[in-house]
Amino acid sequence: MRHEPRQDSRGILDPGRLLRQVRFRRRLPAPALRPYVEHYWLVDWELTEPLDQRVVPHPTVNVVFQAREGTPETGEIAGVDTGLFTVTLHGVGRVTGVQFRPGGFRPFWGRSVAELTDQRRPLTAARPVCPGSDDERCGRLDELLTAGKPVPDPLAARATALVEEIRADRSILRVDDFAGRHGLSTRRLQRLFLEYVGVGPKWVIRRYRLQEAIEQATAGPVDWSRVAADLGYADQAHLVREFTAVAGVSPAAYARSLVASGG
């Protein structure tokens, strides 16, 4: 089990620009919640001009509380978003969020997580979450989730482990090969992922490989033909099509935008 939250910016488009304009940090939940929760994430901002931020989402459910200046705090359950997530931040505000591990929300939800895919459901906390110090905000999240009394589920744990393997092992490119590696039929693997993660294994593989391509663009000059081959795309044109379909711009245009913004 991880003892520190992830430090990567995977999935965040132009992370350098975001981190220059807002305070963004991650915190681990209470130990009993770590089988289910990847991390808490906290964002605070005081902006003189609106900031449009885009994110290529992970295969995860988030619970998000937001407080903007002059308006009451709102909360929502955000299912796996299969598209590009875009948000505009302005003025003064705070977000306090929970990123569940893939499969980790199912023990709280109690039924198929696929019901939440591309959905947002309003949520009301017993008391406001966003005010206070980081420790106070995370403490409220610990209380809220502990009150949910999740029951350990071996299938949820297995789904979490399988998705983590896909995230870590870039050689995983085919669903049937991956299913066979674990003694599962392709159909059974598909059902497990839809029930516990909210999307199928093919989507998870493609999303993590695309996030790797985005991360490599952020790191500096890129040989896109080599990246395409390394990540299992048929050719560079295949990578360009998928990157553009999700991120809204071609890989080369995205790389140029990072240079322009100083990212």
Side-chain angles (χ1 to χ4, degrees), residues 165 170 176 178 240:
E165 186 176 345
R170 62 194 293 174
D176 51 354
F178 184 60
V240 170

CSV table of all heavy atoms in Angstrom, one decimal, residues 165 170 176 178 240:
chain,number,residue,atom,x,y,z
A,165,GLU,N,-2.3,-2.9,-12.5
A,165,GLU,CA,-1.3,-3.6,-13.3
A,165,GLU,C,-1.3,-2.9,-14.7
A,165,GLU,O,-0.2,-2.8,-15.3
A,165,GLU,CB,-1.7,-5.0,-13.4
A,165,GLU,CG,-0.6,-5.9,-14.1
A,165,GLU,CD,-1.0,-7.4,-14.1
A,165,GLU,OE1,-1.8,-7.8,-13.3
A,165,GLU,OE2,-0.4,-8.1,-14.9
A,170,ARG,N,3.3,-1.0,-19.3
A,170,ARG,CA,2.9,-0.5,-20.6
A,170,ARG,C,2.9,-1.5,-21.7
A,170,ARG,O,2.5,-1.2,-22.8
A,170,ARG,CB,3.9,0.7,-21.0
A,170,ARG,CG,5.3,0.3,-21.1
A,170,ARG,CD,6.2,1.5,-21.1
A,170,ARG,NE,6.1,2.3,-22.3
A,170,ARG,CZ,6.7,3.5,-22.5
A,170,ARG,NH1,7.4,4.0,-21.5
A,170,ARG,NH2,6.5,4.1,-23.6
A,176,ASP,N,-7.6,-9.7,-24.6
A,176,ASP,CA,-7.6,-11.1,-24.5
A,176,ASP,C,-6.3,-11.7,-23.9
A,176,ASP,O,-6.3,-12.6,-23.1
A,176,ASP,CB,-7.9,-11.7,-25.9
A,176,ASP,CG,-7.0,-11.2,-27.0
A,176,ASP,OD1,-6.2,-10.3,-26.7
A,176,ASP,OD2,-7.1,-11.7,-28.1
A,178,PHE,N,-4.4,-10.1,-21.8
A,178,PHE,CA,-4.4,-9.7,-20.3
A,178,PHE,C,-5.4,-10.7,-19.6
A,178,PHE,O,-5.0,-11.1,-18.5
A,178,PHE,CB,-4.9,-8.3,-20.2
A,178,PHE,CG,-4.8,-7.8,-18.8
A,178,PHE,CD1,-3.6,-7.8,-18.1
A,178,PHE,CD2,-6.0,-7.3,-18.2
A,178,PHE,CE1,-3.6,-7.3,-16.7
A,178,PHE,CE2,-5.9,-6.8,-16.9
A,178,PHE,CZ,-4.8,-6.8,-16.2
A,240,VAL,N,-2.2,9.9,-33.4
A,240,VAL,CA,-2.7,11.3,-33.6
A,240,VAL,C,-4.2,11.4,-33.6
A,240,VAL,O,-4.8,12.3,-33.0
A,240,VAL,CB,-2.1,11.9,-35.0
A,240,VAL,CG1,-2.8,13.2,-35.3
A,240,VAL,CG2,-0.6,12.0,-34.9
